[in-house]
Amino acid sequence: MIEPLELRKVMGQFATGVTVITTQSADHLFGFTANSYTSVSLDPPLILFCLHKDSKGCPIFLHNQVFAVNILAADQIEVSNGFATKELSTEDRFGLVNHATATTGSPVLEGVMGWLDCRLSSSIESGDHVIFIGEVVDMNYDADKGPLLYFQGGYREIGGQ
Ligand SMILES: Cc1cc2nc3c(=O)[nH]c(=O)nc-3n(C[C@H](O)[C@H](O)[C@H](O)COP(=O)(O)O)c2cc1C
């Protein structure tokens, strides 16, 4: 028997970066904090993230068919927490940080250390999450910024405790 709390602890042994995944169309804006982001393929350039199937974001990503992955910098804990707060409305989440608009129309957050603008390639419902796979159509990065890391259920910085 796999205990969910124990599973969470073992999952937490895997150190990750932290991203905010955003999407926008005429009347459908959404963003949430994710550490399930990972690269899939170089040719074609594919990446993925997983979102809980009960999130209001799932139908929005499926409707918009585009999204941007914003890779958070070490000084963006507040942004990460805001976009991970269920009680915070979409407007309040985006009120935490200035943003520009990428080629697909998806929001790119100010101060991130990198971003990938994507068109939805496919989605797969798996267990209690939906896996969204996107093809990268534009991207940029800032090599001088350090990453925000997530490990054992808490934020970390490279070289920090
Ligand atoms: C560091 C961190 C990483 C997270 N990664 C994910 C993730 O990959 N997938 C997911 O569904 N939720 C993840 N969450 C939780 C969501 O950000 C949170 O449930 C958010 O409220 C979802 O948006 P919603 O409430 O509008 O559905 C993460 C939270 C934190 C703090």
Side-chain angles (χ1 to χ4, degrees):
M1 172 69 184
I2 299 295
E3 284 294 334
L5 274 179
E6 281 302 298
L7 180 60
R8 230 173 225 267
K9 280 188 190 159
V10 179
M11 301 282 207
Q13 294 294 94
F14 187 59
T16 67
V18 182
T19 70
V20 169
I21 315 280
T22 56
T23 185
Q24 183 166 28
S25 63
D27 50 358
H28 290 85
L29 174 67
F30 182 73
F32 82 106
T33 302
N35 66 346
S36 56
Y37 159 77
T38 194
S39 57
V40 173
S41 160
L42 280 178
D43 186 16
L46 301 174
I47 58 94
L48 69 74
F49 69 89
C50 308
L51 176 58
H52 197 281
K53 66 179 172 56
D54 292 341
S55 169
K56 60 184 173 299
C58 286
I60 300 180
F61 285 113
L62 291 172
H63 173 271
N64 290 357
Q65 294 284 303
V66 295
F67 62 86
V69 179
N70 293 270
I71 303 170
L72 297 191
D75 61 359
Q76 292 187 302
I77 288 179
E78 205 182 310
V79 175
S80 175
N81 283 337
F83 278 85
T85 301
K86 283 226 168 292
E87 298 70 32
L88 216 56
S89 70
T90 295
E91 289 66 32
D92 287 346
R93 291 180 190 185
F94 281 93
L96 293 168
V97 57
N98 290 332
H99 58 272
T101 304
T103 309
T104 66
S106 304
V108 170
L109 308 184
E110 198 172 275
V112 297
M113 59 177 307
W115 55 267
L116 303 117
D117 189 25
C118 304
R119 291 196 191 286
L120 187 63
S121 166
S122 57
S123 63
I124 306 155
E125 200 172 319
S126 188
D128 56 11
H129 278 61
V130 180
I131 305 167
F132 291 93
I133 300 173
E135 176 152 11
V136 181
V137 295
D138 199 6
M139 60 192 174
N140 206 346
Y141 71 103
D142 180 346
D144 294 330
K145 284 189 186 291
L148 181 60
L149 303 179
Y150 200 70
F151 176 60
Q152 291 181 335
Y155 296 109
R156 304 279 192 268
E157 285 183 43
I158 280 183
Q161 288 304 300

